[in-house]
């Protein structure tokens, strides 16, 4: 344990497993301001990162996206389906990283379920655009950083801690294991 956490009077580490981990992933993904989709994850090589919008996070912890079948990420996923997703909810909390494998399909029912009119910006022929491809990320694990009582309480605890010289941090973090 690092020195900052040793000075913490409250428990601030909690690993989550199974349904509890999936629920945390879903909650953090749904409130995230941004998501970065990373491919080409190989040792000593730069990863390829792009912003993407999660269109659905399901109860099992899976993440659903739509993309074009001629995008570079499809080529990359054919070489290696392993990806990492990185989420940020705010400047001070709600951070999530998820890693897992991607399944690529042309599932018309799922395309219709995920569709919203704003997607016509990229798929100009609408929901029946033949280029639309479904990406399903099936997580194998992840890690989260959050706070226990919301940003206002977290800020108040930090301010009091700074004033009295005690580590008062409302953070909570841990591994996410879907097994």
């Amino acid at each position: 344990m690092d020195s900052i956490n040793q000075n913490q009077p409250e428990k601030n580490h909690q690993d989550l497993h199974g349904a509890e981990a999936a629920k945390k992933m879903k909650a953090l993904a749904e409130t995230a301001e941004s998501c970065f989709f990373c491919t080409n994850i190989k040792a000593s090589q730069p990863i390829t990162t792009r912003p993407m919008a999660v269109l659905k996070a399901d109860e099992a912890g899976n993440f659903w996206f739509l993309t074009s079948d001629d995008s570079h990420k499809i080529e990359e996923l054919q070489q290696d389906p392993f990806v990492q997703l990185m989420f940020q909810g705010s400047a001070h909390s709600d951070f999530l990283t998820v890693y897992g494998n991607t399944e690529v399909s042309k599932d018309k029912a799922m395309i219709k379920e995920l569709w919203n009119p704003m997607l016509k910006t990229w798929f100009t022929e609408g929901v029946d655009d033949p280029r639309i491809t479904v990406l399903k990320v099936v997580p194998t694990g992840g890690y989260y950083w959050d706070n226990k009582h919301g940003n206002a309480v977290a800020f108040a605890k930090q301010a009091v801690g700074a004033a009295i010289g005690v580590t008062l941090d409302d953070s909570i973090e841990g591994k996410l294991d879907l097994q």
Side-chain angles (χ1 to χ4, degrees):
M1 180 182 296
D2 62 77
S3 62
I4 291 175
N5 288 328
Q6 287 176 354
N7 290 327
Q8 187 74 273
E10 296 179 46
K11 178 181 175 186
N12 68 336
H13 186 97
Q14 182 178 10
D15 294 339
L16 303 175
H17 304 278
E20 193 175 20
K23 182 178 177 182
K24 186 67 164 179
M25 285 180 181
K26 182 179 187 319
L28 290 174
E30 289 178 341
T31 60
E33 292 181 8
S34 60
C35 172
F36 292 93
F37 190 101
C38 306
T39 56
N40 283 342
I41 302 170
K42 298 175 180 82
S44 303
Q45 297 294 318
I47 60 173
T48 304
T49 304
R50 61 198 41 93
M52 300 242 341
V54 175
L55 298 173
K56 178 181 178 180
D58 67 26
E59 300 301 321
N62 301 311
F63 298 93
W64 298 83
F65 303 85
L66 293 179
T67 192
S68 176
D69 61 7
D70 59 357
S71 74
H72 294 294
K73 78 181 89 40
I74 295 296
E75 288 177 44
E76 294 163 1
L77 293 170
Q78 288 170 342
Q79 299 294 316
D80 183 0
F82 188 74
V83 297
Q84 183 172 9
L85 307 177
M86 292 182 269
F87 298 88
Q88 181 173 356
S90 74
H92 306 289
S93 67
D94 308 326
F95 300 101
L96 172 66
T97 183
V98 173
Y99 44 90
N101 289 294
T102 304
E103 298 173 4
V104 179
S105 76
K106 291 280 194 174
D107 182 333
K108 294 293 184 188
M110 185 53 72
I111 291 169
K112 286 184 171 94
E113 181 181 333
L114 298 174
W115 182 259
N116 74 62
M118 292 302 290
L119 293 170
K120 197 166 181 187
T121 299
W122 296 279
F123 304 108
T124 55
E125 295 180 42
V127 71
D128 295 317
D129 191 312
R131 298 172 303 123
I132 300 175
T133 303
V134 176
L135 298 180
K136 175 184 178 186
V137 175
V138 180
T140 56
Y143 202 89
Y144 74 100
W145 300 263
D146 201 359
N147 58 48
K148 294 176 256 183
H149 302 103
N151 289 339
V153 170
F155 176 76
K157 286 174 96 171
Q158 285 178 334
V160 169
I164 63 174
V166 175
T167 302
L168 296 178
D169 181 0
D170 197 51
S171 68
I172 186 80
E173 65 180 274
K175 293 179 185 177
L176 297 164
D177 180 7
L178 294 170
Q179 307 302 325

